[in-house]
Amino acid sequence: MIQIAASPVTDGIMTVLQVDTLLYIGLGILVGMLVGAFPGVTATMAVALASGFTLTLEPIQGLAVLLTIYVAAQFGDRVPAILINTPGTPASISTTFDGYPLALKGQAGLALTTSAFGSAFGMLFGILILAVAAVPLSEFARQFGPPEMFALVVFGLTMMVGVSSGRVLKGLAAGAFGLLLATVGRDPITGDARFTLNVLELNGGVPFIPVIIGFFGVAEVLNQILTRRRHLHHVKPVTQLGQWMPGRKLMQRLFKPMGIGAVTGSVVGLVPAVGGDIAGIIAWDNARKVSKHPEEFGKGSLEGLTAGDTSSTATLGGSVTTTMALGVPGDSVMAVMIGSMMIWGIQPGPSLFSSRPDLVSSLVTIMLIATILTLGLSLLRMRGMVKLLELPSHYLWVIILIFCMVGTYSINNSVFDVFMMMIFGAVGLFMLRFGFPAGPAVLGLILGPLAEANLRRALITDGWASVFTSPIALVLLAISVAALVVPPLRVQLKRRKAVGAGADQAKVSS
Amino acid sequence: MKTLLKSLAVGTAGLLALTGCASGSNGSSEADFPAQDIRLTVPWAAGGSGDLTARTIAPLLEKELGVEVIVENKPGANGSVAYNWLKDQKPDGYNLSMMGVEVATLQFQDYDIDPSNYAPIGQGLAGPGAIAVPVDSPYKSLKDLVADAKANPGKVTYSSPGVGSVWDSPAQGLQELAGIELTSVPFDGSAPAVAAAAAGDVDFSIDAIGTQKNQVDAGKLRYLAMLTEERDPKNPDVPTAKEEGIDLQNASWVGIMAPAGTPEEVVSKLSDAMGKAVEDAEYKKVIEGSNLVPTFKDAEAMKAFLDEEADRYGPWIKLAQGK
């Protein structure tokens, strides 16, 4: 019995411990740390781009690349946040609160190392959640038929409020736009063409990876080009790095914020569609409340730095768990990864872990190796990263745009996809300039077809009765209603406070 | 001056190279085929069984033909993106595409795909079908299922990989032959459709034997009847639908085709090479490993088969759309 139970686990580990898979992990680390360190290039975009190149790999190798990029980007993005007060990816927004003040105080080296330790701790904690909770959660999720899936996706759609960055009405408008895009293509039940405008390619629906690359990559670059003047007075990178390793006494002081960050991040990570940016800010605020030195927060507190960084990486384990076990993206990076996995024949969702029991241990092994190697690399080579930031932004823009196009074309060898990317880049620019968050639109585009198809499947089998006789579906729908009717006011308040503190901090430092 | 000379030289060399290439492809008679690399397009995304077939057969074709066979994915819109692209290529045998039953069936779903625009090269594999029920289903035989569906019209549900697909259509055939009315619950592809039956969300699954195999092995599904002429040698205890009084057979398949107008000599050369590749032990190992059956039909048989498939599926798809 033990033999039978143990074999998928060891199988899963062994698939990862192959020379070629390890090489792909190494590749992922390099790419991830680089994109993390480039402000403006998010982990979402890097994974979306890389997925175009990894589709022809074996699933485990492909996952090794994509997951490792995801993991490594969480380390790399701290560097510019600490050194030039610019988050490398949104997940390190909270890093800027205390990291940059520390750097100004000549403690950049210490900030970089404690940040890396905190990130690694958060990652390991999240991986533990994945290893422990994935199978039980997926056993529960096996009871999810079309009615339950519909209710779950509705709950996922309510996250549009959460990813609206406080702009709820504009967020919902963007979400509705995403849902509208999701109706393009062949009807999932009858096969009739809808809004295809006689464009052959649109029969397959609006391709979401080009849309994501357009929204996040192209729109961001275009926006930076347009607002260039504002950045003329670029803050000079801090070259004085100071002390590197934290002392033992300091480490002991950091255990509490690390613990707070790990728990906060894991819980936030399990919730679909919410990522490290929000988790970092919430944990930063939680740590401040229980700290003996709350006055240091925002002025260069190592506690605040580690709490935020631990939390934003701890979301990864939870995100991966949710994504794999429920088939609902845990955050925007996982939303992109779901697309790749489906092409590899891995269908994230309730039946995944029963059909592929070895996958959990493979995922855990990939993430463990990636975390440990990235931590090592971070401690060794942080100094080299600083050089890359000195690249003038107009070179960066061109590089990013070329990568966007090559990456998009390579998904399907399709020029149509490149056009879609550029169109949605322009749409994304419009949204960015007028304050419409792109997150809800992507959420709508990805979850819309799932909601529609599952609802209609449920209606075919037993009408509305099939939805309202399912306890799971009812509970989920009730939670969804609560999420909308009782807006998370407290979270909003906390975030506003945190952002306010960050802004004050920026004012003080400039 | 030096740079001018240099660029002139480079330009002339380039022109020479270009004309060389042009005369190479124009001048080659069908007898020299193949004189250059062959492009084999896959109308599906990388990773599926059709893609796997292309990547397995390409090196074997290279061995037979002595030129490179480059596999390229052009997925989109049920394969019609690649099929449309192939239609517009020069019919010289250097541009080929994998094909599935959609070449015959897309025309019934408002797609601009006409089988007569293509010259089939051959078939590479078949995925014979089966009807399977959840293990705890009350149906012990296909007769039970049919009897229940007769008593409760429209109450018995099945999962299909999508309207007009290779497995939704034979379900229409089943209803027609048995005189029953079933309810189709379409999913987005075979994997989720079979999983839904395994979870008991629908009453039965109609799909390829090999696709259902994982769930049968996992103890979630039970084969009720095979949609084959003879009993499946790997499942000798499961009767065929024909034995149960329903004369229904269906199999998914993958083949290779060229644009219409490709010279017969070229088609038969390609077809011969494909026949040898399908017989190759390496090919058989990969295809059988994915629970499919290596099967070869030559160009002529394939052309007739394609027309038969269109005749068979057309009414079924009309039936499904009429609902």
Side-chain angles (χ1 to χ4, degrees):
Chain A
M1 191 65 213
I2 289 168
Q3 195 53 43
I4 295 166
S7 67
V9 175
T10 43
D11 276 2
I13 296 173
M14 288 321 288
T15 5
V16 177
L17 295 179
Q18 312 267 348
V19 178
D20 43 357
T21 313
L22 291 175
L23 280 175
Y24 282 115
I25 290 180
L27 182 75
I29 289 176
L30 286 179
V31 175
M33 290 204 76
L34 284 175
V35 299
F38 278 110
V41 190
T42 61
T44 311
M45 192 179 140
V47 170
L49 287 181
S51 63
F53 296 98
T54 52
L55 290 181
T56 49
L57 295 180
E58 293 290 311
I60 291 297
Q61 297 173 347
L63 276 174
V65 177
L66 299 188
L67 271 176
T68 310
I69 290 177
Y70 190 18
V71 169
Q74 301 280 328
F75 285 84
D77 67 353
R78 315 297 195 237
V79 181
I82 291 170
L83 294 178
I84 57 170
N85 202 23
T86 309
T89 75
S92 59
I93 292 172
S94 69
T95 313
T96 58
F97 299 169
D98 284 305
Y100 188 60
L102 278 166
L104 288 179
K105 283 198 241 166
Q107 291 182 306
L110 189 61
L112 285 170
T113 27
T114 45
S115 163
F117 279 125
S119 302
F121 180 77
M123 198 72 75
L124 295 177
F125 193 86
I127 294 169
L128 188 72
I129 295 280
L130 169 67
V132 174
V135 176
L137 199 65
S138 69
E139 273 307 309
F140 170 68
R142 261 190 79 84
Q143 301 171 19
F144 279 54
E148 291 82 10
M149 282 304 293
F150 165 68
L152 180 66
V153 175
V154 168
F155 173 62
L157 284 171
T158 64
M159 289 299 145
M160 280 180 181
V161 177
V163 295
S164 294
S165 329
R167 293 159 294 184
V168 176
L169 274 183
K170 284 187 171 174
L172 290 180
F177 175 60
L179 286 172
L180 185 72
L181 288 178
T183 61
V184 174
R186 290 270 163 169
D187 182 297
I189 304 298
T190 65
D192 294 321
R194 296 191 303 206
F195 306 121
T196 53
L197 313 171
N198 279 329
V199 179
L200 179 66
E201 282 87 349
L202 282 182
N203 278 299
V206 175
F208 76 88
I209 292 186
V211 172
I212 290 173
I213 296 180
F215 274 176
F216 290 100
V218 178
E220 181 62 37
V221 169
L222 292 179
N223 189 46
Q224 283 183 19
I225 293 171
L226 286 178
T227 56
R228 182 170 182 197
R229 281 166 193 282
R230 282 187 218 160
H231 298 296
L232 271 184
H233 301 286
H234 225 277
V235 191
K236 267 203 161 175
V238 183
T239 41
Q240 197 78 35
L241 292 169
Q243 182 197 351
W244 278 93
M245 296 306 284
R248 204 157 106 222
K249 219 172 165 191
L250 182 61
M251 278 309 273
Q252 277 170 357
R253 235 187 90 190
L254 295 180
F255 277 137
K256 197 163 75 177
M258 275 190 191
I260 292 169
V263 174
T264 312
S266 300
V267 173
V268 173
L270 278 172
V271 178
V274 185
D277 43 356
I278 295 164
I281 296 168
I282 296 175
W284 183 84
D285 197 49
N286 284 346
R288 188 169 61 106
K289 279 187 192 143
V290 298
S291 171
K292 283 183 189 143
H293 310 278
E295 72 285 351
E296 285 181 13
F297 276 66
K299 299 187 180 100
S301 165
L302 281 168
E303 287 178 56
L305 180 74
T306 39
D309 285 354
T310 309
S311 177
S312 60
T313 48
T315 56
L316 259 80
S319 281
V320 174
T321 307
T322 308
T323 310
M324 295 295 181
L326 302 184
V328 174
D331 61 17
S332 55
V333 180
M334 292 312 295
V336 178
M337 237 185 272
I338 281 185
S340 288
M341 285 191 285
M342 294 203 302
I343 288 166
W344 287 319
I346 301 173
Q347 176 82 36
S351 61
L352 176 64
F353 288 140
S354 53
S355 59
R356 298 285 307 270
D358 54 316
L359 207 59
V360 185
S361 48
S362 291
L363 293 173
V364 167
T365 315
I366 291 172
M367 290 174 73
L368 268 179
I369 296 175
T371 306
I372 293 163
L373 290 180
T374 314
L375 176 64
L377 196 68
S378 301
L379 297 177
L380 278 176
R381 279 274 41 103
M382 284 287 187
R383 286 166 231 242
M385 288 281 180
V386 184
K387 289 271 175 236
L388 290 169
L389 298 172
E390 290 163 8
L391 206 63
S393 43
H394 50 271
Y395 291 135
L396 258 182
W397 295 333
V398 173
I399 294 170
I400 294 173
L401 280 179
I402 289 174
F403 268 87
C404 285
M405 291 199 192
V406 173
T408 306
Y409 178 77
S410 63
I411 301 167
N412 282 344
N413 292 327
S414 156
V415 179
F416 169 80
D417 282 355
V418 179
F419 276 117
M420 290 303 273
M421 177 204 79
M422 291 196 284
I423 291 169
F424 283 96
V427 174
L429 177 67
F430 169 84
M431 290 169 65
L432 208 59
R433 304 291 292 165
F434 290 92
F436 291 96
V442 171
L443 211 59
L445 177 61
I446 291 172
L447 295 182
L450 283 174
E452 186 201 350
N454 280 303
L455 175 63
R456 290 178 63 188
R457 276 171 207 143
L459 293 181
I460 287 176
T461 39
D462 215 0
W464 282 102
S466 58
V467 178
F468 292 118
T469 52
S470 156
I472 297 177
L474 282 181
V475 168
L476 282 168
L477 287 175
I479 298 175
S480 314
V481 172
L484 284 180
V485 177
V486 189
L489 274 177
R490 283 183 55 200
V491 180
Q492 292 287 333
L493 276 177
K494 274 182 197 167
R495 286 194 57 203
R496 213 163 286 160
K497 259 193 231 163
V499 171
D504 290 348
Q505 181 47 48
K507 250 179 256 161
V508 170
S509 59
S510 55
Chain B
M1 195 58 205
K2 217 172 182 180
T3 45
L4 181 70
L5 270 176
K6 219 180 196 172
S7 45
L8 263 179
V10 171
T12 326
L15 271 176
L16 275 175
L18 272 176
T19 45
C21 286
S23 63
S25 53
N26 283 341
S28 71
S29 70
E30 286 118 42
D32 316 328
F33 181 87
Q36 65 186 69
D37 295 347
I38 293 174
R39 172 149 61 168
L40 178 58
T41 308
V42 179
W44 312 289
S49 65
D51 178 62
L52 181 79
T53 313
R55 288 176 198 284
T56 313
I57 210 166
L60 300 171
L61 288 177
E62 282 176 3
K63 210 163 69 183
E64 295 297 329
L65 296 168
V67 294
E68 298 245 355
V69 177
I70 298 151
V71 177
E72 192 180 290
N73 296 81
K74 256 189 203 298
N78 275 329
S80 57
V81 169
Y83 298 148
N84 258 322
W85 171 86
L86 183 71
K87 184 184 71 184
D88 299 332
Q89 300 310 303
K90 206 170 150 199
D92 53 9
Y94 294 107
N95 284 303
L96 307 174
S97 172
M98 303 299 290
M99 65 165 163
V101 73
E102 305 82 35
V103 175
T105 60
L106 282 172
Q107 55 180 323
F108 304 112
Q109 295 178 282
D110 313 322
Y111 283 95
D112 192 16
I113 300 287
D114 183 351
S116 66
N117 283 330
Y118 307 101
I121 304 289
Q123 181 182 357
L125 63 85
I131 289 173
V133 291
V135 266
D136 51 4
S137 163
Y139 308 136
K140 299 291 171 223
S141 68
L142 186 59
K143 284 189 178 122
D144 290 352
L145 193 155
V146 169
D148 188 31
K150 268 203 175 120
N152 303 292
K155 290 279 180 230
V156 178
T157 57
Y158 67 94
S159 56
S160 84
V163 173
S165 69
V166 63
W167 294 117
D168 187 55
S169 295
Q172 303 300 329
L174 171 66
Q175 298 177 65
E176 204 180 20
L177 288 169
I180 53 175
E181 193 187 322
L182 301 166
T183 297
S184 164
V185 184
F187 283 79
D188 192 13
S190 275
V194 172
D201 295 331
V202 292
D203 294 320
F204 73 92
S205 150
I206 180 164
D207 214 297
I209 300 173
T211 315
Q212 293 165 338
K213 187 176 180 294
N214 286 339
Q215 299 284 3
V216 171
D217 291 348
K220 306 279 182 197
L221 281 183
R222 167 161 57 84
Y223 290 125
L224 212 55
M226 298 298 179
L227 302 178
T228 48
E229 280 289 347
E230 307 286 332
R231 286 195 179 198
D232 179 32
K234 282 183 194 146
N235 299 280
D237 300 336
V238 184
T240 63
K242 197 175 180 179
E243 291 174 44
E244 299 277 294
I246 312 273
D247 192 4
L248 179 70
Q249 288 84 33
N250 198 58
S252 63
W253 50 266
V254 170
I256 297 180
M257 63 183 185
T262 307
E264 260 176 48
E265 217 171 312
V266 171
V267 169
S268 67
K269 229 175 215 174
L270 286 168
S271 190
D272 290 348
M274 191 181 167
K276 283 186 190 132
V278 173
E279 288 297 314
D280 196 285
E282 179 66 20
Y283 179 82
K284 285 192 161 157
K285 198 179 97 191
V286 174
I287 300 305
E288 280 165 4
S290 15
N291 298 320
L292 294 160
V293 187
T295 310
F296 181 68
K297 281 192 184 73
D298 67 11
E300 208 168 314
M302 200 60 201
K303 199 172 173 60
F305 179 59
L306 199 60
D307 291 340
E308 279 169 33
E309 290 287 87
D311 291 344
R312 220 155 60 92
Y313 277 82
W316 286 344
I317 293 172
K318 290 266 149 57
L319 214 60
Q321 284 166 341
K323 282 197 167 175

